Structure formats: C-alpha cells, structure tokens
Amino acid sequence: MTLSAPKRILVIDDDEDVMEILRIALMDEGFDVIFTNKAGAIAAIEKLCPDLVLLDVQRSELPLMGTEMCSKLKKRHVHNHMPLILVSSGTNLGTLAKDCDANLFISKPFDIFQLLVHVKRFLD
C-alpha cells in the first residue's frame, strides 16, 4: 500500500491570529500548510503548486487585492482548476468571489469546523 502525500494548502493572510488558528486546524487534519503574506504570493503559488489556496481579500502588505490575485490566477490555464477560497471580513463577498472566479467565499469571523468541511470537500 502506498501512502499519498498530504494535500498542500497555501494560506495568504496578514492576520497572525487567523493564521495560527488555520495552522493548528489544518495541520491537525493532516494537511501540508504553507503561509505567506508577502508580495511574492503569486510566485509562491507557481513554485509550491498548492492543491488549494485560502486567500484574504484585503492584505496590508501585498500590492494586489485578493480579488485581483484570484483573477490573475484563475486566468492562467495551469491554475484555473485549483480551488481558491476567498476569506474576508468585508462586504459583498459573494459578488467579489463571482467576479474573480473564486470557488467559494467564507466570511470572517468564520466557523473553523465549517471551513474544514469546505476544504475537505474541495480536496477529496
């Protein structure tokens, strides 16, 4: 029996508390979790080839809004299949997610158990 590698999730957020909660919850579920809040987030996606991205809409340290990054990624053929979930405390998330072709949006504050259900659904 061969063991498969854990699914890789890239979290792009600038809220340290949110990142810590996600780190604990996702790693406890056996996912390989990588975090970034740097300007090289698109390059990180290119290099790491995550199975799923959790993307904050508004990040103070990045030049692109999450929706702009989402649109750029979804327009690239190699990434248009990759599930991308917008996570934000902002308003109009449904419209923003639809406009940038995100697979789902989750409002902050979020229920971590519900977020895990969605993540697992996309990765099964």
Side-chain angles (χ1 to χ4, degrees), residues 22-106:
L22 290 172
R23 183 189 68 77
I24 293 168
L26 293 169
M27 290 179 83
D28 281 354
E29 293 294 324
F31 295 114
D32 177 17
V33 186
I34 301 164
F35 297 90
T36 188
N37 63 355
K38 305 294 183 224
I42 288 182
I45 291 169
E46 299 290 334
K47 180 180 176 185
L48 300 169
C49 299
D51 296 296
L52 183 139
V53 175
L54 291 171
L55 176 61
D56 188 12
V57 172
Q58 297 180 349
R59 295 158 336 275
S60 60
E61 297 189 23
L62 292 175
L64 293 177
M65 294 288 292
T67 51
E68 294 169 309
M69 186 179 295
C70 176
S71 290
K72 284 182 182 257
L73 289 169
K74 288 296 189 168
K75 286 179 183 172
R76 294 181 184 187
H77 177 69
V78 71
H79 298 300
N80 65 5
H81 70 283
M82 178 182 59
L84 199 146
I85 300 173
L86 293 182
V87 182
S88 181
S89 59
T91 58
N92 299 325
L93 280 180
T95 301
L96 293 173
K98 183 179 177 189
D99 290 348
C100 73
D101 289 328
N103 298 85
L104 182 70
F105 67 91
I106 296 175

